[in-house]
């Protein structure tokens, strides 16, 4: 894709988002099912492979994975593995666990349509769907420890010091 093709793909989206801000709001989702036997999680991926590209809402053709979706997939993966580990360590009987993450976006920020709209997720929700007869106090402890030891969740929550640079090669 060259500059002209990118402009052509994004122009109608930008116009639509300017005319109707509600059309720029979106929820990205990720989901996975925990594999307790292996202390693992199978994260659903909407696209084959690992190539990241533009989301349809920013001019992409839908063939690639959006990096925002990949972030949510990383959160689901980390939370699922952490949940499996904590569940195993505490011997809490869980028949099935599905981990979901949802993130709210406003594409006007990403596309520079409105400079007052932040780029990135404005909210992220992590949901652990558990099939279990365990008492509520055990489930509360599972949630507390999953939140505490999930590296991705804690990284997002703690807002680490970030830097970016260009290195000529």
């Amino acid at each position: 894709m060259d500059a002209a093709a990118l402009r052509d793909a994004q122009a109608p989206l930008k116009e639509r988002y300017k005319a109707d801000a509600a059309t720029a709001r979106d929820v990205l989702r990720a989901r996975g099912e925990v594999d307790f036997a292996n202390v693992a999680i199978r994260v659903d991926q909407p696209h084959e492979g690992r190539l990241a590209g533009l989301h349809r809402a920013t001019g992409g053709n839908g063939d690639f994975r959006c990096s925002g979706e990949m972030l949510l997939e990383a959160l689901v993966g980390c939370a699922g593995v952490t949940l499996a580990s904590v569940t195993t360590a505490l011997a809490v009987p869980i028949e099935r666990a599905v981990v979901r993450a949802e993130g709210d976006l406003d594409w006007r920020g990403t596309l520079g349509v409105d400079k007052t709209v932040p780029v990135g997720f404005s909210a992220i929700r992590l949901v652990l769907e558990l099939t279990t007869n365990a008492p509520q106090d055990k489930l509360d402890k599972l949630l507390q420890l999953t939140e505490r030891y999930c590296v991705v969740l804690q990284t997002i929550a703690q807002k680490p010091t970030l830097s970016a640079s260009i290195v000529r090669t």
Side-chain angles (χ1 to χ4, degrees), residues 2 4 8 15-17 30 39 44 52 56 62 72 77 87 103 115 127 151 162:
D2 62 17
D8 289 346
E15 287 306 313
R16 180 169 28 132
Y17 300 160
V39 187
D44 300 341
R56 281 187 189 276
L72 295 176
T87 297
K115 302 290 187 204
V127 178
V151 172
L162 299 174

Side-chain angles (χ1 to χ4, degrees), residues 58-75:
T58 62
N61 62 13
D63 289 343
F64 305 113
R65 294 172 65 206
C66 164
S67 55
E69 292 166 329
M70 293 170 80
L71 175 68
L72 295 176
E73 290 166 5
L75 176 58

Side-chain angles (χ1 to χ4, degrees), residues 111-134:
L111 290 175
V113 170
D114 183 340
K115 302 290 187 204
T116 66
V117 175
V119 176
F121 292 109
S122 61
I124 296 176
R125 293 169 296 286
L126 180 66
V127 178
L128 310 176
E129 298 175 0
L130 306 179
T131 303
T132 182
N133 290 324

